Amino acid sequence: MNLTATKEADEVMERHIEDSLAILPPIKTCYNLHSSDLFDHINLIDVGSGAGLPGLVLAIACPDWRVTLLESINKRCVFLEHVVNVTGLTNVKIVRGRAESCGHDVMYREKFDVAIARAVAEMRVLAEYCLPLVRIGGLFVAAKGHDPKEEVQNAENAVRLLGGSILQISPVDSHSPYGQRTTVVCRKDRSTPQKYPREAGTPAKLPL
């Protein structure tokens, strides 16, 4: 279905599966430090899930989590539904839609313990996609490349404007041969102003 550029099974394991699993330790550390809720029963949304990375991988690794895969493209949703049916996963919900719309839907706005995004957009854009979906006290987690410091600095104002603060920038223990990965973790400190997220397409065109 041409969901990733990676074709070989071993390369998929290294580049995508192991990278997805490498996000778990920093999430656990920050969640246990900054939340009174149980880490074992997280309600997580994967924004722009694509081929289910990292959301499907995390759902398999953490069967007690409730995982929502948010994806706007129908072909990818069909693939995700196929994987859920084949694997028999019961803790996964697939939602076809855009983050800008779901961020204003009462079913999803400020309902998740963790919102996560991997290889979707730059931090300023991701913050507007993800933070409106996170409950106060929850986490927004962005999976980034080897050196996102400048990108993160540029996003500090956007994160603050959307009700969050940057908690941690940490290299992750990935066995991928594609270089060091970094996890950026933000905490949701207060409610996101009602005008965010802006209408579809605006966050990417005019980042905060």
Side-chain angles (χ1 to χ4, degrees):
M1 296 187 70
N2 198 31
L3 291 169
T4 72
T6 310
K7 305 294 184 187
E8 299 300 321
D10 288 347
E11 191 179 357
V12 169
M13 286 299 296
E14 291 178 335
R15 185 168 188 172
H16 295 305
I17 308 301
E18 290 183 10
D19 268 9
S20 295
L21 291 172
I23 297 168
L24 272 173
I27 295 178
K28 183 174 184 178
T29 298
C30 287
Y31 196 83
N32 286 339
L33 280 174
H34 298 279
S35 178
S36 58
D37 294 335
L38 291 175
F39 179 75
D40 292 339
H41 298 283
I42 280 176
N43 184 17
L44 176 144
I45 184 165
D46 178 14
V47 177
S49 189
L53 303 164
L56 271 177
V57 179
L58 298 180
I60 294 167
C62 305
D64 290 328
W65 288 12
R66 288 173 292 155
V67 176
T68 298
L69 307 178
L70 177 61
E71 175 53 52
S72 63
I73 297 176
N74 186 62
K75 179 179 79 168
R76 296 172 183 169
C77 290
V78 170
F79 170 78
L80 295 172
E81 289 165 358
H82 171 72
V83 173
V84 168
N85 288 334
V86 169
T87 57
L89 288 170
T90 59
N91 61 333
V92 175
K93 177 183 179 182
I94 298 159
V95 175
R96 184 186 174 193
R98 295 185 66 108
E100 300 99 323
S101 300
C102 288
H104 288 287
D105 189 324
V106 293
M107 287 183 62
Y108 306 112
R109 186 177 178 90
E110 300 193 336
K111 291 294 193 290
F112 296 92
D113 300 312
V114 177
I116 193 164
R118 177 179 182 263
V120 175
E122 65 152 296
M123 273 292 297
R124 290 180 298 169
V125 179
L126 288 184
E128 190 167 356
Y129 289 165
C130 293
L131 277 169
L133 299 166
V134 179
R135 66 167 176 83
I136 295 172
L139 301 178
F140 154 45
V141 180
K144 287 293 176 181
H146 73 285
D147 187 17
K149 287 182 181 177
E150 183 177 350
E151 181 183 340
V152 173
Q153 287 172 351
N154 290 339
E156 285 179 359
N157 184 60
V159 170
R160 189 164 50 248
L161 191 63
L162 294 158
S165 57
I166 296 169
L167 280 182
Q168 179 178 298
I169 304 171
S170 61
V172 296
D173 183 20
S174 173
H175 298 292
S176 168
Y178 299 91
Q180 177 183 302
R181 310 294 294 172
T182 307
T183 300
V184 183
V185 183
C186 304
R187 185 180 189 271
K188 180 75 169 278
D189 301 315
R190 60 193 181 282
S191 287
T192 299
Q194 196 60 42
K195 64 181 178 180
Y196 299 114
R198 293 167 292 168
E199 64 182 24
T202 303
K205 291 177 184 174
L206 299 168
L208 292 171

